[in-house]
Structures are given as structure tokens and as C-alpha cells.
Amino acid sequence: MPDKLIGYLKEYQKWWNNQKHYLGDRWEDTDRLFFTEDGKTISPGLFRVWLQKTLTKAGLPKVSLHSLRHTNITLQLIAGVDMKTVSARAGHSKASTTSDFYSHFIKNSDIHASEVINKIFE
């Protein structure tokens, strides 16, 4: 996990503990990372609502939570993270699963690499 993300999570944990203390006996006994304002467990659909509100506020197109997973995997591949590592981080049992699914992206990257090499020889 990236150090920056660990820092954000530690900051969030402090807020989480303060919120739990603030709510006192109104806090629903949960160790979940995300919860409603009164400490109750949230429904999975609420994440979609939060995402869409955030995207709208930022002026970005609407996407699904799952598309963020694809974006994450694609960004790792663009950055040059090896397929085996990306596959393991994605939870795929084999690197070939990741390779098969993202082969269109890999082909585009290969075309780009070829164009870069062509420019070197000009």
C-alpha cells in the first residue's frame, strides 16, 4: 500500500475514533471503515450514491465503482508495474487472467512503444 494512502488512512482512523467517542452510546457496535453519520452500518448502494455525488460535484462523467477498479489496473500497467504484480494486487489467481482481460490495452501500449522507438531512429 502506498505511504500516502497509509497516511490518509491514519488520519481517517483518528477521525473515526473521535466520531465513535462523540456518538457514545448512539454508536452502533461496528468496526466497519465506513458508516452513516450516526455510526450505523451503511448499505452497499450508498457507496454508489457517494461516488456519483462526488463525480457530479467535480464535473466528471458518471462511472461505476467497478470502473474505478479497471482504471486502477490500467494506471498500474501504464506506469510500468509488471503484469504479475498487477494481477496479484487485482486478486486474479493467474497473471494470464489480467493479461487476457487487458490485452487490448497492452496492444495499444505496444503500438505506442513502437512509435517511440521509430522516433529515436529518425
Side-chain angles (χ1 to χ4, degrees):
M1 190 179 299
D3 290 338
K4 249 186 181 176
L5 181 56
I6 291 170
Y8 292 138
L9 289 173
K10 285 182 179 182
E11 202 175 300
Y12 181 78
Q13 183 181 30
K14 286 179 190 175
W15 176 87
W16 191 92
N17 287 328
N18 288 337
Q19 188 70 7
K20 183 177 177 179
H21 179 73
Y22 171 76
L23 290 171
D25 61 356
R26 291 178 295 158
W27 178 266
E28 186 177 288
D29 189 24
T30 182
D31 61 352
R32 297 204 181 241
L33 185 59
F34 298 105
F35 47 85
T36 63
E37 291 175 358
D38 56 357
K40 292 187 175 24
T41 301
I42 62 171
S43 68
L46 190 54
F47 287 107
R48 283 192 307 276
V49 172
W50 286 348
L51 175 62
Q52 298 314 319
K53 282 184 179 180
T54 302
L55 292 170
T56 298
K57 201 174 199 179
L60 296 170
K62 292 186 176 187
V63 296
S64 68
L65 282 168
H66 194 74
S67 67
L68 296 179
R69 171 182 166 80
H70 292 302
T71 300
N72 178 280
I73 292 168
T74 302
L75 289 173
Q76 289 179 67
L77 292 169
I78 287 171
V81 178
D82 67 276
M83 186 64 69
K84 187 173 180 179
T85 301
V86 172
S87 180
R89 291 177 60 100
H92 296 156
S93 58
K94 295 185 266 181
S96 62
T97 302
T98 309
S99 177
D100 290 348
F101 193 81
Y102 292 91
S103 62
H104 65 281
F105 169 75
I106 295 165
K107 286 176 188 170
N108 289 341
S109 295
D110 187 50
I111 291 168
H112 175 71
S114 180
E115 290 170 353
V116 168
I117 292 170
N118 279 337
K119 286 182 182 181
I120 290 171
F121 288 108
E122 287 180 353

